[in-house]
Amino acid sequence: MVRPYGKGHKRRKKGERYDKEEEEVEDEQVQEEKADSETEMRAQDGEEKTEEAKEMQLPGVEEGIPIVPSHQTGKKPGVIFVLEKATLEVAKVGKSYQILNSEEHANFLRRNKKNPADYRPDIIYQALLSILDSPLNKAGRLRAVYVKTDKGVLFEVKPHVRIPRTYKRFAVQLLQKLSITAVGNREKLLRVIKNPVTQYLPLNSRKIGFSHSSEKLVQMEKYVAGVGDDTDLVFVVGAMSHGKIECDYVDDFISVSEYPLSAAWCIARVCEAVSKKWRVL
């Protein structure tokens, strides 16, 4: 016997129940995905804020030690190098922070309306190699090296340590710690110190700046020969791809070639001339 249906009730269509259940499941999945997406976005925002905060904080800026004039210590006179306008700018490229350079980040720089030619951190690396590998340094006549970025951050580089042999290693250590440790031990090669650089330079030292645009073209050997034998020499060199340095603490601006020279070549000429003056072979 067939069971009668109640009045007003219709037979449920086949598959109707399953369709409703599937819709409910889909709604739950959409809500869960939306909640997960919001949580992930909040987490990413938190990470970005944390990373931005880390980026803005320099390591403890330390007090540098002023260099005592050689005649007061009984030591032989020495040289100090100041590398001005070094490009060491850090930015977030993709998912990581990197030191910007024209070779790897040209497209990124153009998108941000910046000239890739201005981003040459390899110049400061080459300049440091020229200074630290020179016979002057190995003879103990290099007193100090200071690096000032185009953003105004001042670094002190110790003269008696060995710089990393590759630029990538140099850049990675500098990016991670804003300091570089010596190969073979944990001594700091590079550290942030307080401005201005003039407070660390020895009194009565001869401060010489270099610029191709200078009207004073000199032969470097003759020029340094005219400086007193008991005078410390401070050489201020630009560590940028183009332009000139403008420093009010420089006593004299000179040019050492009829042609534009890289920072490394300019430093090489200076070191060679001073080595001959002091008979460092």
Side-chain angles (χ1 to χ4, degrees):
M1 184 175 179
V2 180
R3 183 178 178 181
Y5 283 92
K7 186 177 181 182
H9 289 278
K10 294 182 180 179
R11 182 184 294 272
R12 180 176 293 177
K13 293 182 180 180
K14 187 178 181 180
E16 184 177 358
R17 176 173 175 271
Y18 302 102
D19 292 342
K20 288 184 178 180
E21 290 179 354
E22 289 176 358
E23 289 176 359
E24 291 175 357
V25 171
E26 288 178 357
D27 290 341
E28 290 178 357
Q29 290 177 348
V30 169
Q31 291 177 358
E32 289 177 357
E33 290 176 359
K34 185 176 180 181
D36 292 342
S37 176
E38 291 176 353
T39 303
E40 185 178 355
M41 289 176 66
R42 286 195 296 268
Q44 289 178 352
D45 291 341
E47 289 176 359
E48 288 179 1
K49 288 178 181 179
T50 302
E51 289 177 349
E52 287 175 1
K54 289 181 179 178
E55 181 191 18
M56 295 302 293
Q57 292 177 354
L58 288 173
V61 179
E62 303 176 25
E63 290 283 355
I65 301 175
I67 299 173
V68 180
S70 298
H71 69 273
Q72 293 183 10
T73 60
K75 295 181 179 180
K76 295 179 180 180
V79 297
I80 299 99
F81 282 93
V82 181
L83 305 177
E84 289 274 354
K85 292 189 175 182
T87 52
L88 294 171
E89 184 173 337
V90 179
K92 190 173 184 181
V93 182
K95 295 183 179 181
S96 62
Y97 285 94
Q98 301 176 29
I99 295 179
L100 298 176
N101 66 76
S102 59
E103 183 178 0
E104 298 178 343
H105 307 115
N107 293 332
F108 174 85
L109 291 167
R110 291 191 188 98
R111 285 197 301 269
N112 288 274
K113 298 180 180 180
K114 296 181 179 180
N115 183 9
D118 294 336
Y119 292 81
R120 294 286 309 280
D122 58 299
I123 293 177
I124 187 64
Y125 174 68
Q126 294 168 4
L128 288 174
L129 279 179
S130 295
I131 296 169
L132 298 175
D133 286 350
S134 67
L136 273 178
N137 184 31
K138 294 177 181 179
R141 306 299 287 271
L142 178 64
R143 304 290 302 278
V145 181
Y146 298 100
V147 179
K148 190 171 184 179
T149 71
D150 54 354
K151 303 296 182 182
V153 180
L154 182 63
F155 294 93
E156 178 190 20
V157 183
K158 296 199 175 176
H160 58 278
V161 291
R162 183 173 179 268
I163 198 170
R165 296 291 96 183
T166 64
Y167 168 73
K168 284 192 174 181
R169 185 177 175 187
F170 172 84
V172 168
Q173 290 189 24
L174 180 62
L175 175 63
Q176 290 177 348
K177 303 177 183 178
L178 282 177
S179 66
I180 294 177
T181 54
V183 176
N185 58 54
R186 305 306 301 170
E187 183 179 9
K188 282 189 177 181
L189 162 65
L190 186 151
R191 61 175 182 157
V192 181
I193 59 175
K194 292 184 178 180
N195 279 294
V197 69
T198 51
Q199 65 181 314
Y200 309 116
L201 304 179
L203 298 174
N204 302 322
S205 58
R206 179 74 172 171
K207 304 171 187 67
I208 305 161
F210 296 89
S211 175
H212 175 62
S213 61
S214 174
E215 297 179 355
K216 190 175 182 179
L217 179 62
V218 302
Q219 187 175 349
M220 199 61 202
E221 293 180 15
K222 292 182 178 179
Y223 182 85
V224 296
V227 180
D229 292 335
D230 59 346
T231 303
D232 292 307
L233 299 173
V234 178
F235 298 110
V236 185
V237 182
M240 62 288 188
S241 57
H242 55 81
K244 64 178 182 178
I245 56 175
E246 296 178 357
C247 304
D248 55 3
Y249 60 87
V250 172
D251 299 321
D252 197 9
F253 266 106
I254 64 173
S255 174
V256 294
S257 176
E258 296 178 351
Y259 309 100
L261 299 179
S262 66
W265 256 109
C266 178
I267 290 167
R269 285 204 168 185
V270 170
C271 290
E272 182 67 18
V274 177
S275 295
K276 289 183 178 179
K277 172 183 174 63
W278 291 339
R279 297 180 181 178
V280 177
L281 302 178

